[in-house]
């Protein structure tokens, strides 16, 4: 049984979305004009990017659950393969999210252990 890696097109899509979000002029994300940190540069809001990613994983899981319920109820429009594929996609997305969380926690611990 071969285990496939994460689809490279999805990674490229996510990177392009992050780049587009970083280039978008968002006045709410900019510091106030009178503040000392206002230098004309825009910053990508990490919290918003993380929230959007978590919302996408959640929607994948909800869609998987909904398809499973439709299949169990005997909906002719839903096949077993669709249910299984959607479930695997949701599972892989969740596993990737857990790995990102683990890396973030590890990076945080490394930073906190640095000597100043």
């Amino acid at each position: 049984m071969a285990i496939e890696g994460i689809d490279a097109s999805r990674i490229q899509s996510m990177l392009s979305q992050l780049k587009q979000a970083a280039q978008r002029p968002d006045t709410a994300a900019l510091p106030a004009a009178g503040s000392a940190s206002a230098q004309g540069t825009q910053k990508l809001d990490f919290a918003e990017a993380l929230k959007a990613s978590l919302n996408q994983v959640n929607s994948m899981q909800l869609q998987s659950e909904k398809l499973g319920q439709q299949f169990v109820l005997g909906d002719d429009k839903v096949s077993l393969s669709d249910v299984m594929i959607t479930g695997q996609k949701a599972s892989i997305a969740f596993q990737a999210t857990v790995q990102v969380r683990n890396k973030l926690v590890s990076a945080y611990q490394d930073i906190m252990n640095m000597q100043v």
Side-chain angles (χ1 to χ4, degrees):
M1 179 175 174
I3 299 175
E4 296 181 22
I6 297 174
D7 187 13
S9 64
R10 291 197 50 145
I11 294 172
Q12 292 299 327
S13 172
M14 182 179 279
L15 286 174
S16 66
Q17 288 175 0
L18 287 173
K19 288 177 184 177
Q20 288 174 357
Q23 293 174 354
R24 238 183 292 149
D26 186 9
T27 56
L30 293 175
S35 70
S37 64
Q39 299 174 354
T41 59
Q42 297 177 352
K43 296 182 181 179
L44 177 63
D45 189 12
F46 179 75
E48 288 297 320
L50 184 62
K51 183 178 179 181
S53 176
L54 291 174
N55 285 338
Q56 183 179 10
V57 171
N58 184 44
S59 68
M60 290 177 78
Q61 289 180 328
L62 292 175
Q63 179 186 10
S64 172
E65 183 180 346
K66 181 180 175 184
L67 279 177
Q69 289 175 350
Q70 288 175 342
F71 181 77
V72 168
L73 293 174
D75 190 353
D76 294 335
K77 297 176 185 175
V78 180
S79 67
L80 178 60
S81 62
D82 290 340
V83 174
M84 296 304 293
I85 290 170
T86 306
Q88 286 299 313
K89 284 182 181 180
S91 175
I92 290 170
F94 181 73
Q95 290 173 6
T97 302
V98 169
Q99 291 300 318
V100 168
R101 184 221 41 185
N102 292 343
K103 290 291 184 182
L104 287 172
V105 169
S106 175
Y108 175 78
Q109 290 173 345
D110 289 345
I111 290 171
M112 294 307 294
N113 290 332
M114 284 184 179
Q115 296 282 335
V116 179

